[in-house]
């Protein structure tokens, strides 16, 4: 009985300190929640992840959730990806990618993959390539390429990395986009295929080179990046 009361008191202390105004205290509470998993922590960890302003605390909250049974964490996280709050969606997607359980795949909707918030979209892209069932990579690639050319370089790099993680399944979708899209989108498609072929190529170099190809040719490069000179006469 004494042990049970002490355990209850410890659990209540963790739940309370996850709301502390000091980030260092919240960080320790999240660490404790992951070190000594308890079903009572799950809802609070998910709830706190949705509003936590400190990056390091959010990262620890995600780790703590990965330490709990998937059967306990999955329902709350799937619910959060439909939240109206961008941070809640982004963090839930990030945590689902770390858990890596493909039962969460149905939660990765086209709406999330094209979310208006860049951080949410990036989290969705990362989660999607981890959770996609075998054989559905081409369909996912077809959705992801609709986002080519979006945002600043960091966002574009994130999308390219997600696509490259799908492997050769992305090539037909990339080439279809490169043949018909606007110049910034064509350049992003060409750069992504370059990264697939040569992973050691830096994204900055690949995108600048792709922009030059598009600008010089007025059309996407063919095959392995050679210039198409049919219209240059």
């Amino acid at each position: 009985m004494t042990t049970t009361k002490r355990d209850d008191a410890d659990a209540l202390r963790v739940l309370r300190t996850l709301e502390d105004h000091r980030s260092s205290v919240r960080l320790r509470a999240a660490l404790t929640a992951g070190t000594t998993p308890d079903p009572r922590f799950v809802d609070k960890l998910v709830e706190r992840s949705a509003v936590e302003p400190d990056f390091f605390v959010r990262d620890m909250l995600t780790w703590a959730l990965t330490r709990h049974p998937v059967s306990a964490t999955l329902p709350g996280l799937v619910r959060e990806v439909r939240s109206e709050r961008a941070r809640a969606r982004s963090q839930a997607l990030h945590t689902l990618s770390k858990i890596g359980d493909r039962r969460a795949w149905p939660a990765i909707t086209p709406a999330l993959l094209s979310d208006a918030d860049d951080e949410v979209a990036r989290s969705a892209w990362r989660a999607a390539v981890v959770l996609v069932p075998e054989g559905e990579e081409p369909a996912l690639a077809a959705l992801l390429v609709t986002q080519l050319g979006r945002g600043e370089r960091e966002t574009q790099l994130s999308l390219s990395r997600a696509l490259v993680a799908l492997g050769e399944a992305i090539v037909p979708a990339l080439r279809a986009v490169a043949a018909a899209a606007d110049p910034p989108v064509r350049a992003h498609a060409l750069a992504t295929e370059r990264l697939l072929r040569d992973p050691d190529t830096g994204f900055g170099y690949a995108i600048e080179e792709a922009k030059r190809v598009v600008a010089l040719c007025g059309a996407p490069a063919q095959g392995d990046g050679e210039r198409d000179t049919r219209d240059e006469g």
Side-chain angles (χ1 to χ4, degrees):
M1 181 65 72
T2 301
T3 301
T4 300
K5 287 182 178 179
R6 184 168 61 248
D7 290 345
D8 288 345
D10 289 343
L12 289 172
R13 187 177 304 109
V14 170
L15 294 171
R16 184 175 63 253
T17 53
L18 282 170
E19 300 283 356
D20 196 275
H21 70 279
R22 295 163 294 181
S23 61
S24 60
V25 174
R26 299 195 303 277
L27 184 67
R28 288 195 298 272
L31 174 61
T32 300
T35 304
T36 56
D38 187 313
R40 291 171 290 185
F41 296 156
V42 172
D43 287 346
K44 176 58 72 175
L45 290 169
V46 173
E47 175 188 319
R48 187 65 209 176
S49 295
V51 297
E52 174 56 52
D54 186 278
F55 169 81
F56 296 104
V57 179
R58 289 200 304 272
D59 208 38
M60 190 65 76
L61 290 166
T62 287
W63 174 79
L65 283 164
T66 67
R67 297 274 295 161
H68 288 76
V70 176
S71 59
T73 59
L74 207 59
L77 291 169
V78 168
R79 183 173 59 250
E80 285 298 294
V81 303
R82 299 190 292 267
S83 172
E84 294 183 359
R85 294 175 295 186
R87 177 168 290 168
R89 298 195 300 276
S90 176
Q91 194 62 24
L93 287 162
H94 173 67
T95 303
L96 287 172
S97 74
K98 294 299 182 182
I99 292 172
D101 192 296
R102 285 181 169 172
R103 286 176 291 181
W105 169 245
I108 312 300
T109 62
L112 284 171
L113 294 172
S114 59
D115 197 282
D117 185 281
D118 283 348
E119 189 56 41
V120 175
R122 289 167 58 189
S123 295
W125 302 335
R126 289 191 293 266
V129 299
V130 170
L131 301 175
V132 61
E134 186 175 352
E136 293 196 32
E137 294 87 353
L140 175 58
L143 287 172
L144 291 179
V145 297
T146 66
Q147 302 302 299
L148 287 167
R150 168 180 174 165
E152 301 299 326
R153 181 161 296 187
E154 185 178 9
T155 297
Q156 293 186 8
L157 172 58
S158 184
L159 179 58
S160 290
R161 284 174 171 168
L163 283 162
V164 168
L166 295 175
E168 291 293 326
I170 69 173
V171 174
L174 282 178
R175 291 185 175 173
V177 169
D182 292 337
V185 181
R186 296 208 307 263
H188 195 182
L190 291 171
T192 301
E193 186 169 358
R194 174 68 180 271
L195 292 176
L196 176 68
R197 302 302 181 202
D198 184 4
D200 292 330
T201 301
F203 180 74
Y205 174 82
I207 194 70
E208 293 304 322
E209 182 65 18
K211 287 178 181 178
R212 284 193 290 272
V213 169
V214 170
L216 288 170
C217 298
Q222 305 297 310
D224 199 25
E226 297 179 357
R227 290 176 61 185
D228 182 354
T229 59
R230 288 174 297 179
D231 297 323
E232 292 188 357

